[in-house]
Amino acid sequence: MPYLRCDGCGSILAEQAFLDRTMAGEARQYDDDYWRAELSAARARGYGASLIRLAEVFLYARRPVRRFLDVSCGAGTLLDAAAELLPEIAGTFWGIEPFPPPPEFRARHPNYRTGFLSDLEGRFDGGTCIEVIEHLPPAILATMLGQLAAVSEPSALWYFNSAQPEFVERDDPGYLDPFRRGHIASYSVEGLRHLFGAAGFTVHALPGRDWAFLAEYGACPAMDGNALLTRVWTMLPENRVRLEAGRFGPFLLSAGTEGARCYVEAATATWAIDERRQLLEEGAAMILRKVSRSPRQALSYLFRRGR
């Protein structure tokens, strides 16, 4: 399958003819065969990393999270996991899936819904969208974002997980997998800001995670690493109380806090090391230039620098 890169934003998409087939429903079918291959990985995410992302939404949100939605939630594994670990607040969590697996594989949670975002009633304070948008051509993604905006409260905070071009090219070229997993796109943060902005969302890049980002409903400044950590340390009291009311809430709160810190702090350290390395390389290049012109001048420079 040929893939093309956008000259403007760097996003990677399958060729247009295949995107057209996808929008016509003629490409990858989300049928029983797809779900048989996907359910094991979905369960591992739902009972693993996705629970930590759930906690991060409570940490980053700047409004009380009373209704949490998992968008295109698949079998609803995250709902069942949340109900098991946080039974006291299980009613907080909802999920919607437009192409659900067979009924025997679906979540037992009473708030599991099949259909599109436009079929939901009421609004939500935030949630997750895990491994979804890489399946969607830009036009369909734009439609989904319009529907998400319609069910978002002001300042609703959404965590999206989807590999960006840097991650795909560096770590996992096989992530682009149109025929088996249905992955037809890898959107860059710049491309996402264009698409999400048109629907009224602000996109926040997550340092150290070129496979995830936040989208906040409404206009606000894009956050850097320091601003993200400030939100972690100044979590809304109501969100803390709600999450800690669950049986394993304190554990998830700790895991979410440490996860958020580790990515930002590791990215900050990496940037500092890279900057220092660049300065050293520039200094070495300057010394070599001086040596090539005048060895005596180079030695004098080194003595003055104390090296």
Side-chain angles (χ1 to χ4, degrees):
M1 170 62 59
Y3 279 81
L4 305 176
R5 184 195 306 278
C6 174
D7 290 335
C9 70
S11 296
I12 300 172
L13 295 161
E15 64 175 357
Q16 187 61 48
F18 190 82
L19 297 182
D20 292 340
R21 289 178 56 206
T22 299
M23 290 188 285
E26 299 171 358
R28 183 66 171 100
Q29 300 294 316
Y30 297 102
D31 52 17
D32 290 1
D33 289 339
Y34 169 84
W35 283 113
R36 272 192 287 272
E38 174 66 16
L39 282 171
S40 176
R43 179 175 176 81
R45 286 195 301 269
Y47 279 86
S50 292
L51 282 167
I52 300 176
R53 310 311 166 217
L54 176 155
E56 286 190 75
V57 171
F58 280 79
L59 283 163
Y60 288 130
R62 278 305 174 257
R63 63 170 295 115
V65 181
R66 298 165 185 166
R67 297 187 86 212
F68 178 109
L69 178 66
D70 189 16
V71 178
S72 292
C73 65
T77 309
L78 180 58
L79 295 184
D80 280 347
E84 289 183 31
L85 270 67
L86 306 166
E88 295 82 359
I89 59 169
T92 300
F93 305 104
W94 297 70
I96 182 80
E97 172 54 49
F99 304 104
E104 62 268 25
F105 297 119
R106 298 178 193 173
R108 303 179 301 277
H109 198 289
N111 292 341
Y112 179 85
R113 298 287 185 269
T114 59
F116 295 91
L117 286 164
S118 55
D119 297 321
L120 290 167
E121 295 182 358
R123 293 176 178 268
F124 295 86
D125 305 301
T128 50
C129 186
I130 306 295
E131 292 294 300
V132 173
I133 64 173
E134 64 276 6
H135 296 261
L136 307 179
I140 294 179
L141 175 55
T143 298
M144 189 197 87
L145 294 175
Q147 295 180 0
L148 184 62
V151 299
S152 292
E153 294 283 8
S155 299
L157 194 286
W158 303 94
Y159 178 101
F160 283 80
N161 193 111
S162 184
Q164 295 156 24
E166 296 86 351
F167 176 88
V168 170
E169 293 182 299
R170 184 188 66 241
D171 296 322
D172 189 8
Y175 185 83
L176 296 174
D177 180 2
F179 300 111
R180 186 172 62 90
R181 290 191 287 175
H183 292 185
I184 62 173
S186 173
Y187 291 102
S188 69
V189 169
E190 288 307 309
L192 293 165
R193 283 181 171 145
H194 174 76
L195 288 163
F196 278 72
F201 292 92
T202 298
V203 168
H204 306 294
L206 289 171
R209 291 189 249 190
D210 48 13
W211 39 264
F213 62 95
L214 302 176
E216 197 164 16
Y217 188 52
C220 61
M223 292 187 288
D224 60 11
N226 288 332
L228 288 165
L229 288 180
T230 296
R231 288 203 180 189
V232 170
W233 299 129
T234 59
M235 181 182 186
L236 289 187
E238 181 174 331
N239 286 342
R240 179 181 295 276
V241 169
R242 179 175 292 270
L243 191 57
E244 289 184 338
R247 185 177 305 165
F248 282 87
F251 168 77
L252 290 179
L253 179 58
S254 295
T257 300
E258 295 307 315
R261 285 187 58 201
C262 285
Y263 284 113
V264 172
E265 291 173 4
T268 301
T270 299
W271 291 335
I273 292 169
D274 289 344
E275 184 179 47
R276 178 64 174 169
R277 182 183 294 117
Q278 182 178 353
L279 289 172
L280 290 173
E281 290 172 352
E282 290 173 354
M286 184 173 65
I287 292 170
L288 288 174
R289 288 196 299 271
K290 288 181 179 293
V291 168
S292 66
R293 292 197 300 267
S294 170
R296 180 175 296 178
Q297 184 182 6
L299 287 171
S300 175
Y301 171 81
L302 289 173
F303 280 121
R304 288 199 308 272
R305 299 294 295 174
R307 299 191 176 113

